[in-house]
Amino acid sequence: GDDFNFCFPFTVIKNFDLNHHCYPLHQSLRVETTKTFSIPSQAFFIAAEISACGYVSGQLIEVIVEIRNESNVEVNEIIVELIKLIHYNADNPVPKTRVRREIAAAAKHDGVGSRNKLTAKMNLTTPPIPPSNIWTCKVLHVFYEIHVTSKTSGPNRDPVLKIPITV
């Protein structure tokens, strides 16, 4: 008979115990900011909160977004994204780091009008992705952040909240 060879690539990942991490991953985290879009306008306030700082693949990430829009600018949409930041490090000939940004998961919600308030619960499911903060490799580091973006009308810069998490 014929002999067949099959090749299948695989990755070996070192076990990483989140219980021995340097900060408590079970604690909630809240990030907030206030922005004024124009001089005669009132303030725009946005806050985002997650129930924990550490997640595993397949786990649901609930993001609670609170907006108090006292400004005269409409918020058309709220976008919550799980961002994977991959840092490629090189030492030769000079130290250099290149960062690649990927959207691992996303959710959208309707915006909020001028002089209105909104509280929204948005869910992201953590996809099967490589773990973060593995320092055994000098060349590659992976970090994760949750970005909460308020897409506003007009030529304004959209407010973005960034929440670091561990996967």
Side-chain angles (χ1 to χ4, degrees):
D2 294 329
D3 288 335
F4 295 99
N5 287 330
F6 293 96
C7 295
F8 186 77
F10 65 93
T11 303
V12 177
I13 298 176
K14 180 182 173 191
N15 282 340
F16 187 64
D17 189 351
L18 292 177
N19 294 314
H20 299 296
H21 207 271
C22 58
Y23 57 90
L25 298 175
H26 63 278
Q27 287 188 343
S28 64
L29 183 60
R30 179 180 171 94
V31 177
E32 57 187 48
T33 190
T34 302
K35 182 172 181 164
T36 303
F37 294 108
S38 59
I39 298 303
S41 180
Q42 296 294 318
F44 170 84
F45 170 83
I46 182 169
E49 185 173 355
I50 55 175
S51 61
C53 294
Y55 297 89
V56 296
S57 293
Q59 188 173 1
L60 193 70
I61 303 172
E62 182 181 75
V63 183
I64 299 172
V65 179
E66 176 189 343
I67 294 177
R68 288 192 308 270
N69 186 6
E70 299 299 326
S71 75
N72 55 5
V73 175
E74 300 280 325
V75 175
N76 298 327
E77 185 176 48
I78 302 162
I79 301 172
V80 176
E81 296 170 317
L82 174 59
I83 304 293
K84 177 169 52 169
L85 299 167
I86 306 167
H87 291 234
Y88 298 95
N89 303 308
D91 289 332
N92 199 357
V94 293
K96 185 177 179 181
T97 299
R98 187 179 63 155
V99 179
R100 190 171 90 201
R101 179 186 183 274
E102 297 177 3
I103 299 171
K108 295 180 180 183
H109 192 278
D110 291 339
V112 61
S114 175
R115 313 241 190 284
N116 280 305
K117 297 178 183 180
L118 171 74
T119 301
K121 289 184 181 181
M122 302 173 71
N123 295 319
L124 298 173
T125 301
T126 310
I129 48 181
S132 54
N133 300 331
I134 303 300
W135 296 105
T136 56
C137 178
K138 291 173 38 178
V139 178
L140 185 71
H141 292 157
V142 181
F143 301 94
Y144 295 95
E145 293 179 337
I146 295 174
H147 288 193
V148 179
T149 306
S150 300
K151 292 288 191 180
T152 59
S153 61
N156 303 302
R157 182 175 233 176
D158 296 332
V160 178
L161 298 177
K162 297 179 180 180
I163 305 172
I165 65 167
T166 299
V167 174

